[in-house]
Amino acid sequence: MAEDIFIKDQEGKVLVGQVWAVDAAFPDFFNPKTSGWWSKWLTNFHNEIAFDGVWEDMNEASNFCAGACYASQEAASPVKNELPYVPSQRNLEAKSLPLDAVHMDNEDMGTKNVTELEAHSLFGTMEVQATHNWFKEQGNRTMIIERSAYAGMGKFASRWLGDNFSQEKYMGFSITGIMAHNLMGIQLVGSDICGFMGDTNAEL
């Protein structure tokens, strides 16, 4: 809070979502101060448990609410109501931050009040880059597996394809998923081979 590095609501207050276990604030990796804050906490954690790699799960960033968790943080005029069309025809705020959440202004981008709608696809990559920088600062080889990806993310980390089902067709989906990510410049990609949800079998 003192370093003012969290994503905010439209009123400028820290956005409160829900993850594990309940209420959570989300670091704003578009804020140049956040990378240093992130490095400090990775170092503190490494001092307690000497890890060699980091698994960055749910870094879309995921939120257990559909948009704002609290009515007091809902936007007066939600941007989702102004979209001319909805990609995939699903609720874009499902298990995600509200599209109106505000990331820090970034002069290099020439924008003001960067919303989650504009920043969402890059959030995971920005987190991965900050984590990659920490590994470099330590003089260690980067070992990061993460879930949210954007073109070029492979410069910083590897990716796994997220939660899948213990079914043959999902093994097939994993092949096309891996190849599609290779086209986007993400070289190291994998999946839960026997599935994550459901029960696997001897053949799988």
Side-chain angles (χ1 to χ4, degrees):
M1 291 292 289
E3 295 182 59
D4 192 30
I5 53 87
F6 294 114
I7 296 171
K8 298 188 169 68
D9 65 13
Q10 288 282 309
E11 301 297 320
K13 297 176 182 174
V14 173
L15 179 75
V16 179
Q18 292 186 353
V19 195
W20 309 108
V22 189
D23 287 349
F26 302 84
D28 181 4
F29 289 98
F30 288 79
N31 182 335
K33 294 189 296 184
T34 303
S35 186
W37 174 87
W38 189 247
S39 289
K40 177 183 71 177
W41 285 106
L42 283 171
T43 298
N44 289 348
F45 184 48
H46 190 269
N47 288 341
E48 290 195 29
I49 301 171
F51 57 85
D52 295 312
V54 175
W55 179 15
E56 295 184 336
D57 189 4
M58 299 174 61
N59 63 331
E60 286 80 16
S62 289
N63 175 28
F64 289 164
C65 303
C69 292
Y70 297 100
S72 63
Q73 295 202 301
E74 291 177 359
S77 300
V79 69
K80 66 181 178 182
N81 296 342
E82 300 170 15
L83 296 176
Y85 70 94
V86 180
S88 75
Q89 296 300 307
R90 68 174 187 84
N91 180 1
L92 298 180
E93 293 184 333
K95 295 187 177 181
S96 195
L97 302 181
L99 299 179
D100 301 282
V102 177
H103 295 261
M104 182 179 184
D105 296 355
N106 190 322
E107 294 176 7
D108 293 338
M109 294 172 65
T111 56
K112 188 174 183 180
N113 291 336
V114 177
T115 64
E116 177 66 14
L117 175 65
E118 300 161 305
H120 180 84
S121 294
L122 274 175
F123 180 87
T125 298
M126 299 289 281
E127 179 190 45
V128 163
Q129 184 176 6
T131 310
H132 167 78
N133 290 342
W134 177 84
F135 277 100
K136 286 177 61 179
E137 291 164 7
Q138 309 307 307
N140 294 333
R141 180 180 179 183
T142 299
M143 180 57 206
I144 305 168
I145 300 173
E146 61 91 55
R147 186 166 87 176
S148 176
Y150 193 73
M153 188 283 298
K155 178 178 180 180
F156 308 113
S158 61
R159 181 170 193 257
W160 111 103
L161 297 176
D163 302 345
N164 58 1
F165 289 85
S166 299
Q167 298 172 13
E168 288 181 7
K169 67 179 180 180
Y170 280 86
M171 185 174 283
F173 293 156
S174 72
I175 302 301
T176 53
I178 288 167
M179 295 175 74
H181 281 77
N182 291 163
L183 288 171
M184 293 189 296
I186 303 172
Q187 299 83 17
L188 183 56
V189 187
S191 69
D192 292 330
I193 295 172
C194 298
F196 175 77
M197 292 174 280
D199 294 323
T200 191
N201 55 54
E203 186 176 355
L204 282 175

